[in-house]
Coordinates of all heavy atoms in Angstrom, one line a residue:
L1 N -1.3 22.5 -28.1 CA -2.2 21.6 -27.3 C -1.5 21.1 -26.0 O -2.1 21.1 -25.0 CB -2.7 20.5 -28.1 CG -3.7 20.7 -29.3 CD1 -4.0 19.5 -30.1 CD2 -4.9 21.3 -28.7
M2 N -0.3 20.7 -26.2 CA 0.4 20.2 -25.0 C 0.6 21.2 -23.9 O 0.4 20.9 -22.7 CB 1.8 19.6 -25.4 CG 2.4 18.6 -24.5 SD 1.3 17.1 -24.3 CE 1.3 17.1 -22.5
R3 N 0.9 22.4 -24.3 CA 1.1 23.5 -23.4 C -0.2 23.7 -22.6 O -0.3 23.9 -21.4 CB 1.5 24.8 -24.1 CG 1.9 25.9 -23.1 CD 2.4 27.1 -23.8 NE 3.4 26.8 -24.8 CZ 3.5 27.3 -26.1 NH1 2.5 28.1 -26.5 NH2 4.4 26.9 -26.9
D4 N -1.3 23.7 -23.4 CA -2.6 23.9 -22.8 C -3.0 22.8 -21.8 O -3.5 23.0 -20.7 CB -3.7 24.0 -23.8 CG -3.7 25.3 -24.6 OD1 -3.0 26.3 -24.1 OD2 -4.2 25.3 -25.7
A5 N -2.6 21.6 -22.2 CA -2.8 20.4 -21.3 C -2.1 20.6 -20.0 O -2.6 20.3 -18.9 CB -2.4 19.1 -22.0
F6 N -0.8 21.0 -20.0 CA 0.0 21.2 -18.8 C -0.7 22.3 -18.0 O -0.7 22.2 -16.8 CB 1.4 21.5 -19.1 CG 2.2 20.3 -19.5 CD1 2.9 20.2 -20.6 CD2 2.3 19.2 -18.6 CE1 3.7 19.1 -21.0 CE2 3.1 18.1 -18.9 CZ 3.8 18.1 -20.1
Q7 N -1.1 23.4 -18.6 CA -1.8 24.5 -17.9 C -3.0 24.0 -17.2 O -3.3 24.4 -16.0 CB -2.1 25.6 -18.8 CG -0.9 26.4 -19.3 CD -1.2 27.5 -20.3 OE1 -2.2 27.5 -20.9 NE2 -0.2 28.4 -20.5
R8 N -3.8 23.2 -17.9 CA -5.0 22.6 -17.2 C -4.7 21.7 -16.1 O -5.4 21.7 -15.0 CB -5.9 21.9 -18.3 CG -6.5 22.9 -19.2 CD -7.3 22.2 -20.3 NE -7.8 23.1 -21.2 CZ -9.1 23.3 -21.5 NH1 -10.0 22.6 -20.9 NH2 -9.4 24.2 -22.4
Q9 N -3.6 21.0 -16.2 CA -3.1 20.1 -15.1 C -2.8 21.0 -13.9 O -3.2 20.7 -12.8 CB -1.9 19.3 -15.5 CG -1.4 18.5 -14.3 CD 0.0 18.0 -14.6 OE1 0.8 18.6 -15.3 NE2 0.4 16.9 -13.9
Q10 N -2.1 22.1 -14.1 CA -1.7 23.0 -13.1 C -2.9 23.6 -12.3 O -2.8 23.9 -11.2 CB -0.7 24.1 -13.6 CG 0.6 23.6 -14.1 CD 1.4 22.9 -13.1 OE1 1.5 23.3 -11.9 NE2 1.9 21.7 -13.4
T11 N -4.0 23.8 -13.0 CA -5.2 24.4 -12.4 C -6.2 23.3 -12.0 O -7.3 23.7 -11.7 CB -5.8 25.4 -13.4 OG1 -6.3 24.6 -14.6 CG2 -4.9 26.5 -13.8
N12 N -5.7 22.1 -11.9 CA -6.5 21.0 -11.4 C -7.7 20.7 -12.3 O -8.7 20.1 -11.8 CB -7.0 21.2 -10.0 CG -5.8 21.1 -9.0 OD1 -4.9 20.3 -9.2 ND2 -5.8 22.0 -8.0
D13 N -7.6 21.0 -13.6 CA -8.7 20.7 -14.6 C -8.3 19.4 -15.2 O -7.8 19.3 -16.4 CB -8.8 21.8 -15.6 CG -9.9 21.5 -16.6 OD1 -10.6 20.5 -16.5 OD2 -10.0 22.3 -17.6
T14 N -8.4 18.3 -14.5 CA -7.9 17.0 -14.9 C -8.7 16.6 -16.2 O -8.1 16.1 -17.2 CB -8.1 15.9 -13.8 OG1 -7.3 16.4 -12.7 CG2 -7.6 14.6 -14.3
A15 N -10.0 16.7 -16.2 CA -10.8 16.3 -17.4 C -10.4 17.1 -18.6 O -10.2 16.5 -19.7 CB -12.3 16.6 -17.1
G16 N -10.1 18.4 -18.5 CA -9.7 19.2 -19.6 C -8.3 18.8 -20.1 O -8.0 18.7 -21.3
A17 N -7.4 18.5 -19.2 CA -6.0 18.1 -19.6 C -6.1 16.7 -20.3 O -5.4 16.5 -21.3 CB -5.2 18.0 -18.3
I18 N -6.9 15.8 -19.8 CA -7.0 14.5 -20.4 C -7.6 14.6 -21.8 O -7.2 14.0 -22.8 CB -7.8 13.5 -19.5 CG1 -7.0 13.1 -18.3 CG2 -8.3 12.3 -20.3 CD1 -7.8 12.3 -17.3
A19 N -8.6 15.5 -21.9 CA -9.2 15.7 -23.3 C -8.2 16.2 -24.3 O -8.2 15.7 -25.4 CB -10.4 16.7 -23.2
L20 N -7.4 17.1 -23.9 CA -6.3 17.6 -24.8 C -5.3 16.5 -25.1 O -4.9 16.4 -26.2 CB -5.6 18.8 -24.2 CG -6.5 20.1 -24.2 CD1 -5.8 21.2 -23.4 CD2 -6.8 20.5 -25.6
C21 N -4.9 15.7 -24.1 CA -4.0 14.6 -24.4 C -4.6 13.6 -25.4 O -3.9 13.1 -26.3 CB -3.7 13.8 -23.1 SG -2.6 14.8 -21.9
K22 N -5.9 13.3 -25.2 CA -6.6 12.4 -26.1 C -6.6 12.9 -27.5 O -6.3 12.2 -28.5 CB -8.0 12.2 -25.7 CG -8.2 11.3 -24.5 CD -9.7 11.1 -24.1 CE -9.9 10.3 -22.9 NZ -11.3 10.2 -22.6
K23 N -6.8 14.2 -27.6 CA -6.8 14.9 -29.0 C -5.4 14.8 -29.6 O -5.4 14.5 -30.8 CB -7.2 16.4 -28.8 CG -7.5 17.1 -30.1 CD -8.0 18.5 -29.8 CE -8.4 19.1 -31.1 NZ -9.0 20.4 -30.9
I24 N -4.4 15.0 -28.9 CA -3.0 14.8 -29.4 C -2.8 13.4 -29.9 O -2.3 13.1 -31.0 CB -2.0 15.3 -28.4 CG1 -2.1 16.8 -28.1 CG2 -0.6 14.9 -28.8 CD1 -1.3 17.2 -26.9
L25 N -3.1 12.4 -29.0 CA -2.9 11.0 -29.3 C -3.8 10.5 -30.4 O -3.4 9.6 -31.1 CB -3.0 10.2 -28.0 CG -1.8 10.4 -27.0 CD1 -2.2 9.8 -25.7 CD2 -0.5 9.9 -27.6
D26 N -4.9 11.0 -30.6 CA -5.8 10.6 -31.6 C -5.3 10.9 -33.0 O -5.7 10.3 -34.0 CB -7.2 11.2 -31.5 CG -8.0 10.5 -30.4 OD1 -7.7 9.4 -30.0 OD2 -9.0 11.1 -30.0
Q27 N -4.3 11.8 -33.1 CA -3.7 12.2 -34.4 C -2.7 11.1 -34.8 O -2.3 11.1 -35.9 CB -3.0 13.5 -34.2 CG -3.9 14.6 -34.0 CD -3.1 15.9 -33.7 OE1 -1.9 16.0 -33.8 NE2 -3.9 17.0 -33.3
R28 N -2.4 10.1 -33.9 CA -1.6 9.0 -34.3 C -0.2 9.4 -34.8 O 0.3 8.7 -35.7 CB -2.3 8.0 -35.2 CG -3.6 7.5 -34.8 CD -3.4 6.3 -33.8 NE -4.6 5.6 -33.7 CZ -5.4 5.6 -32.6 NH1 -5.0 6.4 -31.6 NH2 -6.5 4.9 -32.5
Q29 N 0.4 10.4 -34.3 CA 1.7 10.8 -34.7 C 2.7 10.5 -33.7 O 2.5 10.5 -32.5 CB 1.7 12.3 -35.0 CG 0.8 12.7 -36.1 CD 0.8 14.2 -36.3 OE1 1.6 15.0 -35.7 NE2 0.0 14.7 -37.2
A30 N 3.9 10.1 -34.1 CA 5.0 9.8 -33.2 C 5.7 11.1 -32.9 O 5.4 12.2 -33.4 CB 6.0 8.9 -33.9
G31 N 6.6 11.1 -31.9 CA 7.3 12.2 -31.5 C 7.2 12.6 -30.1 O 6.5 11.9 -29.3
D32 N 8.0 13.5 -29.7 CA 8.0 13.9 -28.3 C 6.7 14.5 -27.7 O 6.4 14.2 -26.6 CB 9.1 15.0 -28.1 CG 10.5 14.4 -28.3 OD1 10.7 13.2 -28.2 OD2 11.5 15.2 -28.5
T33 N 6.0 15.2 -28.6 CA 4.7 15.7 -28.1 C 3.7 14.6 -27.8 O 3.1 14.7 -26.8 CB 4.1 16.7 -29.1 OG1 5.1 17.8 -29.4 CG2 2.8 17.3 -28.7
A34 N 3.6 13.7 -28.7 CA 2.7 12.6 -28.5 C 3.1 11.8 -27.2 O 2.3 11.4 -26.4 CB 2.6 11.7 -29.7
E35 N 4.4 11.6 -27.1 CA 4.9 10.8 -25.9 C 4.6 11.6 -24.6 O 4.1 11.0 -23.6 CB 6.4 10.6 -26.0 CG 7.0 9.7 -25.1 CD 8.4 9.3 -25.4 OE1 8.8 9.1 -26.5 OE2 9.2 9.3 -24.4
S36 N 4.8 12.9 -24.6 CA 4.5 13.7 -23.5 C 3.0 13.7 -23.1 O 2.6 13.6 -22.0 CB 4.9 15.2 -23.7 OG 6.3 15.3 -23.8
A37 N 2.2 13.7 -24.2 CA 0.7 13.6 -24.0 C 0.3 12.3 -23.3 O -0.5 12.3 -22.4 CB 0.0 13.8 -25.3
G38 N 0.9 11.2 -23.8 CA 0.6 9.9 -23.2 C 1.1 9.8 -21.8 O 0.3 9.3 -20.9
L39 N 2.2 10.3 -21.5 CA 2.8 10.3 -20.1 C 1.9 11.1 -19.2 O 1.7 10.7 -18.0 CB 4.2 10.7 -20.1 CG 5.2 9.7 -20.8 CD1 6.6 10.4 -20.9 CD2 5.3 8.4 -20.0
L40 N 1.5 12.3 -19.6 CA 0.6 13.1 -18.8 C -0.7 12.5 -18.5 O -1.2 12.5 -17.4 CB 0.4 14.5 -19.5 CG -0.5 15.5 -18.7 CD1 0.1 15.8 -17.3 CD2 -0.6 16.8 -19.5
W41 N -1.3 11.9 -19.6 CA -2.6 11.2 -19.4 C -2.5 10.1 -18.4 O -3.3 10.0 -17.5 CB -3.0 10.7 -20.8 CG -4.4 10.1 -20.8 CD1 -5.3 10.0 -19.8 CD2 -5.0 9.5 -22.0 NE1 -6.5 9.4 -20.3 CE2 -6.3 9.1 -21.6 CE3 -4.6 9.3 -23.3 CZ2 -7.2 8.5 -22.5 CZ3 -5.5 8.7 -24.2 CH2 -6.8 8.3 -23.8
I42 N -1.4 9.4 -18.4 CA -1.2 8.3 -17.5 C -1.0 8.8 -16.1 O -1.5 8.2 -15.1 CB 0.0 7.4 -17.9 CG1 -0.5 6.5 -19.1 CG2 0.5 6.5 -16.8 CD1 0.6 5.9 -19.9
Q43 N -0.3 9.9 -16.0 CA -0.1 10.5 -14.7 C -1.5 11.0 -14.1 O -1.7 10.8 -12.9 CB 0.8 11.8 -14.8 CG 1.1 12.5 -13.5 CD 2.0 13.7 -13.7 OE1 2.2 14.1 -14.8 NE2 2.4 14.2 -12.6
L44 N -2.3 11.5 -14.9 CA -3.7 11.9 -14.5 C -4.6 10.8 -14.3 O -5.6 10.9 -13.4 CB -4.2 12.9 -15.5 CG -3.4 14.2 -15.7 CD1 -3.9 15.0 -16.9 CD2 -3.5 15.1 -14.4
A45 N -4.5 9.7 -15.0 CA -5.5 8.6 -15.0 C -4.7 7.3 -15.1 O -4.7 6.6 -16.2 CB -6.5 8.7 -16.0
P46 N -4.0 6.9 -14.1 CA -3.1 5.7 -14.2 C -3.8 4.4 -14.4 O -3.2 3.4 -14.9 CB -2.3 5.7 -12.9 CG -3.2 6.5 -11.9 CD -3.9 7.5 -12.8
D47 N -5.1 4.3 -14.2 CA -5.8 3.1 -14.4 C -6.6 3.0 -15.8 O -7.4 2.2 -16.0 CB -6.8 2.8 -13.3 CG -6.1 2.6 -12.0 OD1 -5.0 2.1 -12.0 OD2 -6.7 3.0 -10.9
D48 N -6.3 3.9 -16.7 CA -6.9 4.0 -18.0 C -6.2 3.2 -19.0 O -5.1 3.5 -19.5 CB -7.0 5.5 -18.4 CG -7.9 5.7 -19.6 OD1 -8.0 4.9 -20.5 OD2 -8.6 6.7 -19.6
A49 N -6.8 2.1 -19.4 CA -6.1 1.1 -20.3 C -5.9 1.8 -21.7 O -4.9 1.5 -22.4 CB -7.0 -0.1 -20.5
K50 N -6.8 2.7 -22.1 CA -6.6 3.3 -23.4 C -5.4 4.2 -23.4 O -4.7 4.2 -24.4 CB -7.9 4.1 -23.8 CG -7.8 4.7 -25.2 CD -9.0 5.4 -25.6 CE -8.8 6.0 -27.0 NZ -10.0 6.7 -27.5
A51 N -5.2 4.9 -22.3 CA -4.0 5.8 -22.2 C -2.7 4.9 -22.4 O -1.8 5.3 -23.1 CB -4.0 6.5 -20.9
W52 N -2.7 3.8 -21.7 CA -1.5 2.9 -21.7 C -1.3 2.4 -23.1 O -0.2 2.3 -23.6 CB -1.6 1.8 -20.7 CG -1.3 2.3 -19.3 CD1 -2.2 2.5 -18.3 CD2 0.0 2.6 -18.7 NE1 -1.6 3.0 -17.2 CE2 -0.2 3.0 -17.4 CE3 1.3 2.5 -19.2 CZ2 0.8 3.3 -16.5 CZ3 2.3 2.8 -18.4 CH2 2.1 3.2 -17.1
S53 N -2.4 2.0 -23.8 CA -2.4 1.4 -25.1 C -1.8 2.4 -26.1 O -0.9 2.1 -26.9 CB -3.8 0.9 -25.5 OG -3.8 0.4 -26.8
L54 N -2.4 3.6 -26.1 CA -1.9 4.7 -27.0 C -0.4 5.0 -26.7 O 0.3 5.3 -27.7 CB -2.8 5.9 -27.0 CG -4.2 5.7 -27.6 CD1 -5.1 6.9 -27.3 CD2 -4.1 5.3 -29.0
L55 N -0.1 5.1 -25.4 CA 1.3 5.4 -25.1 C 2.2 4.3 -25.7 O 3.3 4.5 -26.2 CB 1.5 5.5 -23.6 CG 3.0 5.7 -23.2 CD1 3.5 7.1 -23.7 CD2 3.2 5.7 -21.7
G56 N 1.8 3.0 -25.6 CA 2.6 1.9 -26.1 C 2.8 2.1 -27.6 O 3.9 1.8 -28.2
L57 N 1.7 2.5 -28.3 CA 1.8 2.7 -29.8 C 2.8 3.8 -30.1 O 3.6 3.7 -31.0 CB 0.5 2.9 -30.4 CG -0.5 1.7 -30.3 CD1 -1.9 2.1 -30.8 CD2 0.0 0.6 -31.1
V58 N 2.7 4.9 -29.4 CA 3.6 6.0 -29.6 C 5.0 5.6 -29.3 O 5.9 5.9 -30.1 CB 3.2 7.2 -28.7 CG1 4.3 8.3 -28.7 CG2 1.9 7.8 -29.2
M59 N 5.3 4.9 -28.2 CA 6.6 4.4 -27.9 C 7.2 3.5 -29.0 O 8.3 3.6 -29.4 CB 6.6 3.7 -26.6 CG 6.4 4.6 -25.4 SD 7.7 5.7 -25.1 CE 7.4 6.2 -23.4
F60 N 6.3 2.7 -29.6 CA 6.7 1.8 -30.7 C 7.2 2.6 -31.9 O 8.2 2.4 -32.4 CB 5.6 0.9 -31.0 CG 6.0 -0.1 -32.2 CD1 6.7 -1.2 -32.0 CD2 5.5 0.2 -33.5 CE1 7.1 -2.0 -33.0 CE2 5.9 -0.6 -34.5 CZ 6.6 -1.7 -34.3
H61 N 6.3 3.6 -32.2 CA 6.7 4.5 -33.4 C 7.9 5.3 -33.1 O 8.6 5.8 -34.0 CB 5.5 5.4 -33.7 CG 4.4 4.6 -34.4 ND1 4.5 4.0 -35.6 CD2 3.1 4.3 -33.9 CE1 3.3 3.4 -35.9 NE2 2.5 3.6 -34.9
N62 N 8.2 5.6 -31.8 CA 9.4 6.4 -31.4 C 10.6 5.5 -31.2 O 11.6 5.9 -30.7 CB 9.1 7.2 -30.2 CG 8.2 8.4 -30.4 OD1 7.9 8.7 -31.5 ND2 7.8 9.0 -29.3
A63 N 10.5 4.2 -31.7 CA 11.5 3.2 -31.6 C 12.0 2.9 -30.2 O 13.1 2.6 -29.9 CB 12.7 3.6 -32.5
K64 N 11.0 3.0 -29.2 CA 11.3 2.6 -27.8 C 10.5 1.3 -27.6 O 9.5 1.3 -26.9 CB 10.9 3.8 -26.9 CG 11.7 5.0 -27.1 CD 11.2 6.1 -26.2 CE 12.1 7.4 -26.5 NZ 11.7 8.5 -25.6
I65 N 11.1 0.3 -28.1 CA 10.4 -1.0 -28.1 C 10.1 -1.6 -26.7 O 9.0 -2.0 -26.4 CB 11.2 -2.0 -29.0 CG1 11.4 -1.5 -30.4 CG2 10.4 -3.4 -29.0 CD1 10.2 -1.0 -31.1
E66 N 11.1 -1.5 -25.8 CA 11.0 -2.1 -24.5 C 9.9 -1.3 -23.7 O 9.0 -1.9 -23.1 CB 12.3 -2.0 -23.7 CG 12.2 -2.7 -22.4 CD 13.6 -2.8 -21.7 OE1 14.6 -3.0 -22.4 OE2 13.6 -2.6 -20.5
Q67 N 9.9 0.0 -23.8 CA 8.9 0.8 -23.1 C 7.5 0.6 -23.8 O 6.5 0.6 -23.1 CB 9.2 2.3 -23.2 CG 10.5 2.7 -22.4 CD 11.7 2.7 -23.3 OE1 11.9 2.0 -24.2 NE2 12.6 3.6 -23.0
S68 N 7.5 0.3 -25.1 CA 6.2 0.0 -25.8 C 5.6 -1.3 -25.2 O 4.5 -1.3 -24.9 CB 6.5 -0.1 -27.3 OG 5.3 -0.5 -27.9
E69 N 6.5 -2.3 -25.1 CA 6.0 -3.6 -24.6 C 5.5 -3.4 -23.2 O 4.5 -4.0 -22.8 CB 7.1 -4.6 -24.6 CG 7.5 -5.0 -26.0 CD 8.7 -5.9 -26.1 OE1 9.4 -6.0 -25.1 OE2 8.9 -6.5 -27.2
Q70 N 6.2 -2.7 -22.3 CA 5.8 -2.5 -21.0 C 4.4 -1.8 -20.9 O 3.5 -2.2 -20.2 CB 6.8 -1.6 -20.2 CG 8.1 -2.4 -19.9 CD 9.2 -1.5 -19.4 OE1 9.0 -0.3 -19.3 NE2 10.3 -2.1 -19.0
A71 N 4.2 -0.7 -21.7 CA 3.0 0.0 -21.7 C 1.8 -0.8 -22.2 O 0.7 -0.8 -21.6 CB 3.1 1.3 -22.5
L72 N 2.1 -1.6 -23.3 CA 1.0 -2.4 -23.8 C 0.7 -3.6 -22.8 O -0.5 -3.9 -22.7 CB 1.4 -2.9 -25.2 CG 1.5 -1.9 -26.3 CD1 2.1 -2.5 -27.5 CD2 0.2 -1.3 -26.6
G73 N 1.7 -4.0 -22.1 CA 1.4 -5.1 -21.1 C 0.5 -4.5 -20.0 O -0.4 -5.2 -19.5
I74 N 0.8 -3.3 -19.6 CA -0.1 -2.7 -18.5 C -1.5 -2.5 -19.1 O -2.5 -2.8 -18.4 CB 0.5 -1.4 -18.1 CG1 1.9 -1.7 -17.3 CG2 -0.4 -0.6 -17.2 CD1 2.7 -0.4 -17.0
A75 N -1.6 -2.1 -20.3 CA -2.9 -1.9 -20.9 C -3.7 -3.2 -20.9 O -4.9 -3.2 -20.6 CB -2.8 -1.4 -22.4
L76 N -3.0 -4.3 -21.3 CA -3.7 -5.6 -21.3 C -4.2 -6.0 -19.9 O -5.3 -6.5 -19.7 CB -2.8 -6.7 -21.9 CG -2.6 -6.6 -23.4 CD1 -1.5 -7.6 -23.8 CD2 -3.9 -6.9 -24.1
R77 N -3.3 -5.8 -18.9 CA -3.7 -6.1 -17.5 C -4.9 -5.3 -17.0 O -5.8 -5.8 -16.3 CB -2.6 -5.9 -16.6 CG -1.5 -7.1 -16.7 CD -0.5 -7.1 -15.6 NE 0.3 -5.9 -15.5 CZ 1.4 -5.6 -16.2 NH1 1.8 -6.5 -17.1 NH2 2.1 -4.5 -16.0
L78 N -5.0 -4.0 -17.5 CA -6.0 -3.1 -17.0 C -7.4 -3.4 -17.8 O -8.4 -3.1 -17.2 CB -5.7 -1.7 -17.2 CG -4.6 -1.1 -16.3 CD1 -4.1 0.3 -16.7 CD2 -5.1 -1.1 -14.8
D79 N -7.2 -3.9 -19.0 CA -8.4 -4.0 -19.8 C -9.2 -5.3 -19.4 O -9.1 -6.3 -19.5 CB -8.1 -4.0 -21.3 CG -9.3 -3.9 -22.2 OD1 -10.3 -3.4 -21.7 OD2 -9.2 -4.3 -23.3

């Protein structure tokens, strides 16, 4: 899914790339793939509070507490 999301980004299919990132993050799994999906989603839609919130949760599960707090703080400001 992540590879497909990056391909869609490269072809300027922002909506398709975001949809794939959402699908990855909706699985609520930690790891590099989920983190990459969150980061790509934010790159494509930096004002999306849900993207920041899900990235914060992924970062927390990946034991990146400081980054998690930052992402969740941004989500709160945007929401």
Side-chain angles (χ1 to χ4, degrees):
L1 288 176
M2 199 63 229
R3 187 177 313 131
D4 289 342
F6 281 125
Q7 287 175 345
R8 288 176 186 239
Q9 176 198 25
Q10 295 299 316
T11 61
N12 294 321
D13 180 7
T14 301
I18 289 173
L20 289 170
C21 291
K22 287 179 183 180
K23 189 173 185 175
I24 292 167
L25 289 167
D26 283 343
Q27 296 172 6
R28 303 277 196 255
Q29 295 180 6
D32 292 339
T33 300
E35 192 172 318
S36 294
L39 291 169
L40 178 59
W41 186 0
I42 287 167
Q43 181 183 9
L44 296 168
D47 295 330
D48 192 321
K50 183 176 180 178
W52 284 102
S53 179
L54 290 174
L55 178 64
L57 293 174
V58 167
M59 291 291 195
F60 179 79
H61 289 293
N62 287 350
K64 296 180 179 180
I65 304 305
E66 187 174 319
Q67 293 95 326
S68 173
E69 290 174 346
Q70 291 172 352
L72 292 171
I74 293 168
L76 286 172
R77 284 192 299 276
L78 289 171
D79 193 21

